[in-house]
Amino acid sequence: MREALTAFVATTDIPLRYAPDAIRGQRGNALTGTFAPSVALRALLAGTGLSGRIVDGEARVGAAGEAPSARLPATISVRAPEDDPPPPPAAPEAQPADVGTLDTIVVTGTRTAHRIVDSPVEVRLITAADIRASGAGNLAELLEREGGLHVARVAGRGKSVDIEIQGLSSEHVLVLIDGLRVVGRIDGALDLTRFRTAAIERVEIVRGPTSALYGSDALGGVINIITRSGGDGASLTVRGDGDENLEAYGDFGWNRGAWRGSVSGGAVTRESFDLDASTPATDGPEADGRYFSTHQQLDATDTVTIDARFDYALDDTERLDPGTGSALTEVRKRTEELRAALSPRIALGRDTDLRLDAYYTRFYDQYVSEVPGTDADDVDERTYDDLYTVGGQLDHRIGRHRVSIGAEHQYEELDADRLDQTGERDRQALFVQDEIRLLDGRLTVVPGLRHDRDSQFGRQWSPKLNLRYDLTDAWVLRAGYGRGYRAPSFRELLLRFDNPGVGYRVEGNPDLEPERSNGYNLGAIWYPADTASLSLSVFHHDVDDLIEIVQIEDGPPILFSYRNVARARITGGDIQAEWQPWRPLALRLGYGYVDAEDRDTGEPLSGRPEHRVNAAARFERERWALGVRGVWVGERRFGLDIDTGGAPTPTGTADPYALFALRAEWNGWQWFDLAVGVDNLLDEGDPRFLPIQPRAVYLELRKELFR
């Protein structure tokens, strides 16, 4: 509640007085839209037992029934900082002077809180409403139809789901949960289907190099998954489709004075699917999964909030694989993931905040491959990936500056049967960032610098500079530069893998150097009306010392290893338009272009589509809604990519494809809410380049147990 009231003051420039005892443990309602200040204040406090009025130019908040003109005892006064120029009117909310706006707060672009329309760095936000309207069950399904990025599904053990931002692949995209690093990459890629949307409150996406804030792996961008943290009520959702895929999950949230929290969990069962009946192999695995998540917050004092999170997920899959020779292989895979975090937040004064983090995560992967009738080629391999992190960040406002100083320590250990030895790495980092507001607040300059010390690769410096200029009330311009790096993975350093069925071996290279990039971004957003926006961005990346697999011996067997042999140039642009021509109807259309070239050979980088189009439409009334969302992806060329397990990754040219989903919702009954949808509407699928479930019709029932 304290943060919500502070946001009210910052947005409306109306001073506010409140009683700290009255708001302790309370949680303000999230508001997005345009409101008169008095209406916004009432909506902010709805359901809390508090009342608020604006009297003589001052907002006053106290217990319900208190006279609005009374002088509240033991109050705290919140005012906009006098030494900070008032912000210019945010373009999409340019309104008469008596109207204020509260908007969604994002943190990923600068590691500090901003309304999304005021962020110096462009942040793509997927809200809770967007997630529910999408019908997506996991992060891969959610992101693959979004604009500004590309989710690829490719056959093979490790890269069944790959994410690309601005033409840079999964190895160069950092995935966070509540701002903390996720581990568990297989062949360089994180399986995005691991992350169920049932526990996700929103997703923040930053495109472009962000190593200056987050360190290694963030050359292309950052995806930050924000989990649910509280709320009153409970719900249960059950979903099934015509292919006998089932999922059930529930969530429960509460606000009890100073303590608020949420618990969610569920189970999913998926049947295998086959896109090529002429072969005995299956293209999609049979799967069973369970997951659990809890997020707790405690206002220990007026100035100290303790945030605790715990997540657990278990997945078992089984499929028939063509294997590495002519024999059919039974492949079973089991993964377990555990994450625990404790994050105290301390308000050291009106202008100073401190956040501390202690975080542990473990990823376990077991891969079993058996050829029926023989034990000669059986495989049972296990991987344990543990990451320990402690860190802190201090934010301080002084005059026109907002300075952030942070420190982190990470220790990671990877114990895997395929590694020559146990991989161990520790990193220490210091970073500093300054947000400077100039020209009466219309210009924001954000320089930053991070220093990483890696136990294997020494010192890495990552500078950045971001600019935002509010040209007019309807035009916002942004520019950014960043230097990124990626330290070689344990797999690239230590791998020892033999594939006798095909006749090759892959060995790691302990002499690898980190990959480095220089990235440039330019962008503009135009708000022609309150219900429309048009954003345009262009980017350019120069990447040096790219790590690739190269053949170093003719054999037999043929020997492959990793080398810093490639340089890449990636240039492109993205345009996204949103329009609400009529209040119930919302439209979105986007186009992305990427030209990704190996500078040494002149060949395109493997797997990147040159053209991509995304579209969505939603018509929503009080009791029902109808929506469609989808993506068209152009031709992709795949080069040599050795898959260190399962079937070899295919090479060749993939045809264009279009993935669309249709969803209809009805909430007019008191018993439950109903949704009916069609996934993969056009029944796309290719066993080589697009191993995705065929068209399926699903039914979803959601029951609000209580509020």
Side-chain angles (χ1 to χ4, degrees), residues 645-689:
T649 299
T651 60
T653 300
D655 293 331
Y657 66 90
L659 293 180
F660 279 83
L662 182 68
R663 181 177 170 91
E665 302 170 4
W666 171 257
N667 62 358
W669 293 323
Q670 63 177 345
W671 306 282
F672 52 77
D673 297 337
L674 169 71
V676 178
V678 183
D679 282 335
N680 194 2
L681 189 63
L682 303 181
D683 201 24
E684 295 277 20
D686 180 343
R688 296 181 66 210
F689 300 113

Side-chain angles (χ1 to χ4, degrees), residues 164-234:
E164 297 170 8
I165 295 181
Q166 294 189 343
L168 289 160
S169 61
S170 282
E171 292 93 335
H172 308 118
V173 176
L174 180 62
V175 178
L176 309 172
I177 292 183
D178 294 318
L180 300 170
R181 182 180 293 259
V182 176
V183 299
R185 294 177 182 267
I186 302 296
D187 274 355
L190 281 171
D191 184 0
L192 301 183
T193 62
R194 285 162 43 188
F195 310 112
R196 308 301 302 179
T197 58
I200 299 176
E201 175 65 25
R202 67 182 189 274
V203 180
E204 299 178 11
I205 303 168
V206 177
R207 295 174 294 176
T210 49
S211 289
L213 291 177
Y214 297 102
S216 179
D217 306 339
L219 282 72
V222 170
I223 298 172
N224 191 8
I225 304 166
I226 310 297
T227 60
R228 295 181 178 177
S229 59
D232 283 315

Side-chain angles (χ1 to χ4, degrees), residues 230-244:
D232 283 315
S235 67
L236 176 65
T237 301
V238 179
R239 171 172 166 162
D241 65 24
D243 293 331
E244 300 183 357

Side-chain angles (χ1 to χ4, degrees), residues 385-404:
D385 194 352
D386 294 277
L387 176 67
Y388 305 81
T389 302
V390 293
Q393 179 175 323
L394 182 72
D395 301 317
H396 179 66
R397 296 179 66 102
I398 178 170
R400 299 174 183 270
H401 300 262
R402 185 179 187 181
V403 180
S404 299

Side-chain angles (χ1 to χ4, degrees), residues 424-555:
E424 294 183 84
R425 169 185 292 157
D426 63 87
R427 293 170 175 160
Q428 296 80 39
L430 293 172
F431 63 88
V432 61
Q433 175 184 263
D434 189 9
E435 298 178 38
I436 311 166
R437 295 172 61 185
L438 305 169
L439 303 181
D440 295 327
R442 288 193 174 274
L443 174 64
T444 305
V445 182
V446 189
L449 179 66
R450 179 180 174 114
H451 174 261
D452 283 271
R453 178 263 176 194
D454 190 298
S455 60
Q456 293 178 305
F457 301 103
R459 303 179 185 277
Q460 307 292 329
W461 293 91
S462 304
K464 74 155 190 170
L465 178 65
N466 294 103
L467 305 173
R468 170 187 168 129
Y469 183 65
D470 290 70
L471 185 63
T472 68
D473 290 347
W475 282 93
V476 176
L477 308 179
R478 291 186 176 94
Y481 161 78
R483 181 156 175 80
Y485 85 97
R486 182 184 78 89
S489 67
F490 290 125
R491 170 181 61 93
E492 293 164 333
L493 296 167
L494 304 172
L495 181 69
R496 293 292 182 270
F497 169 64
D498 287 290
N499 195 335
V502 177
Y504 71 83
R505 186 169 81 248
V506 183
E507 293 184 354
N509 179 6
D511 297 324
L512 290 173
E513 295 292 329
E515 299 175 332
R516 294 178 174 85
S517 74
N518 288 290
Y520 307 85
N521 284 264
L522 290 173
I525 301 180
W526 176 43
Y527 301 100
D530 299 333
T531 56
S533 68
L534 179 67
S535 67
L536 172 67
S537 62
V538 294
F539 57 85
H540 177 82
H541 297 274
D542 286 313
V543 188
D544 294 318
D545 294 324
L546 269 176
I547 298 171
E548 289 191 349
I549 290 183
V550 297
Q551 181 178 333
I552 60 175
E553 290 183 11
D554 293 335

